[in-house]
Amino acid sequence: MPYGYNGKILRINLSTGAAIIEQPDDKFFRTYLGGRGIISYYLTKEVEEDIDPLGEENKLIIAASVLTGAPIPGLGRHSVGAKSPLTELYGESEAGGFFGVEMKKAGFEAIIIEGKAASPCYLFVKDGKVQINSAEQLWGKEVADVDEQLKLQHEDKKLGTMIIGKGGENKVLFAGIAADVTHYHGRAGMGAVMGSKNLKAIAVRGTGSLEFANKAKLLEISKWFAQNFKDNSDNYNQNRVGTSLYYFGANEAGSLPTRNFKNGHFDELNFTVDEMHEKLKVKTDGCFACPVRCKQVFKGGEYNIDERYGGPEYETLGAFGSSCGVNSMDAPSKCHELCNKFGLDTVSCGITIAFAIECYENGLISTDDTGGLQLNWGCEEEIIKLVELIANREGFGDVLAQGSRQAAEIIGKGAEKFAMHVKGQEFPLAEPRAKFGVGLAFAVSPTGADHLQHEHDGAFDPKLTGYSHAADDPDYFMRGVFPIGLYKPVPSLSLGPEKVKLFTYLQHFWSMFMCIDLCIFIVQPVRTLKITHLVEIVKAVTGWDYTMWEMMKTGERATTLARVFNLKHGLLPKDDTLPDRMFEELEGGVLSGNKLNKDEFEEAVRLYYEMMGWDKETGIPTKGKLYELDLGWAYSEVAR
C-alpha cells in the first residue's frame, strides 16, 4: 500500500445495491491528488450532457485526497461534487470536520454514488465494507437528531456523518449537506442531489491508521504551526471570534454587501463583534488536527438558538444581516441554525431572500404572492419564517427554493435585475466593485459565483482599508507568493493584465487547495503555513519526490477539467459575466461611486482565457493545452 493513502475508490449503485472497489494506479493519484481533481475527472468522463441533475443518471462523488488525515492543520477536509441542480453545470463544495479522515481510515479516497434507491436509505461504511440500510425512520428528521440516532444505533460516537435535512429531501435547489452536523457542504445544491437519490445519510468509521513516509517531518511542521499561528493576525482573530470579525471590517472598508448588493456600507449596524460573542457564544470548536479552532458555537439569545448547530460565519451574517437590511446579532444566528437544521446553503438562501425583498420593495410582488408576508428591509421575523417555508417548499417558499435565477423567471416584470448570481449560483458576501479580482473570479468560476477561487485583492494592495498594517511594506503579503512567481502588488481596483495574471496564478493555487482538500485559512499569503511547507508535506506524506510545479499544474488541470465539463453541459462565453448592478455605482461608504467598467471587464475575461490556454473568443481549451495537461482524452468533449 502507498504511504498516506489507500488507493481505493468505492463505487455504489443505489438502484441495484451493487458495490465495487476500484484501484487506480499511483500515477492517477499523483496526477489528480483528490478532491476537485478526482471529482472533475469522473464527472467529465461519466456524466452525459443531457442528464437531469436530479435524475438517477447524475453521480454524487465524495472525495478526500492523498494528504487528508495527515497530522497537519487544515487537512481534515473533503469535497462533494455532482452536476449541480442550481446551475445545471459543474457542482462542488468542500467542508471540514472529521468525515474525510474517517473515510480515509475506513479504506477509501473517494465514494462514487450512482442510481437511486427505491426507498430512503443510508450508507454505513466501516473498515473497507459497506452496507445500504433503510432510512425510513430517519426521513423527515432534522440533521442533529439523525447524527445522534446513527451514533446510538451503531454504538460509536466517532462516526463521521454526512446528512441532509428537509431541504435536501424536498430537493431545494440550494440544499446542502451537513458534515458532522456543524460543517457544511453548502454550495451548488449537493444536498438536493443526495435527496434525489433517496439517500438520507452516509456514516463512515475507520479503526485503522494511516501510514506516512516521514511522520516526524509532519509533526515538526505541525508543531511549528502551533507555535506561530497566534502571531498571525488573521489566524489569531479566527481563533478568537471565527470569521465574524470580517463582517465589521468589511463595513468599515465600504465593501459589506448591503440591501442585496446595492450598498457597500450598513449604516444601521450598531453592535460589535465582541458584544455579539459575549451575548451568544458558549464555546469554540474546530476541525481535525487544527489548533486555530475557528468554529464558534452560539446558544440562546432572543430566538433560543440551538447550540448543536454551531454559530454563524461571516457569510451567514452578511447574507441574513446586512444583505437583508437586518441590524441584529440574533436573527442571522437563528437563520444559521435553521439552515443547518434543514440543510440549506446559508449564502444562497439569504441572498435569494434579499432578492425577494428588493422585488417586494419595488412592487414586483405583493402580499398576495408572499402569503401575507410583508417583505421590507429588516423584516427579521418574516425572514426567519421564509427559511422554514423554503425548506418545506411551502407557499412562496416553493418559488424561492429554486434560487434567485429561476425565481426571477417566475416573477417576471424585470425581476432578473435584482438576482445577484452567476450561472445560477448566488453571490457570496464579497463586493466585486471593491475587489475587481473577486468580480473576475465570480464570473469565470466553474461553479458559479464563488469566493473560494483565489486570495482576495486586498492582500496584494497595501493601500486598501483593512490592510493598513502593511502600508509601509508593499511586500507584506507578496513574499508569501514569491514561490509561485508573483512578485508585484496590484491595486484592488485594477482589471489590467497584471491583475489577470495575479488571478490566474492564484486560481491555479487555490484550485490545488481544492484537490488536496486544504483549508484556505491555514496558508500564506495571508495566514501562517508557508507555501513551501506544502511541498514538504506532500513528500513527507507520500514519499514522492514532489515539486511546486506539479502542485500548480494539478490545480490548473482541475480547473480546466471543470471547464470541459461545463462546455459539455452547455456553457457559453456569455455566461462568464456579472449582473448589471456590478457595472453601476456602489452606494454608501468610503467606496461610494465605485463600479466595474464593462468593456474592461470583458477584455479581462478574454485575457484570462488566453492565459489559461483557451480560445480567446469561445473559452474552449485548445488541443495543445489539453494535451499539455495530460487531458488529451477530454479533447473529444470540446471538439464536438
Side-chain angles (χ1 to χ4, degrees), residues 527-542:
R527 284 95 196 185
T528 303
L529 198 71
K530 296 179 180 179
I531 285 178
T532 49
H533 276 140
L534 297 181
V535 177
E536 295 178 21
I537 290 168
V538 176
K539 291 179 179 180
V541 169
T542 65

Side-chain angles (χ1 to χ4, degrees), residues 571-593:
L571 180 77
L572 297 172
K574 67 179 180 62
D575 299 316
D576 293 331
T577 190
L578 297 172
D580 288 343
R581 176 160 287 175
M582 297 300 105
F583 305 106
E584 299 168 359
E585 290 187 356
L586 184 63
E587 299 178 14
V590 297
L591 299 178
S592 180

Side-chain angles (χ1 to χ4, degrees), residues 65-84:
S65 84
V66 297
L67 303 186
T68 302
I72 295 289
L75 286 177
R77 296 175 71 78
H78 64 288
S79 303
V80 176
K83 183 176 182 179
S84 167

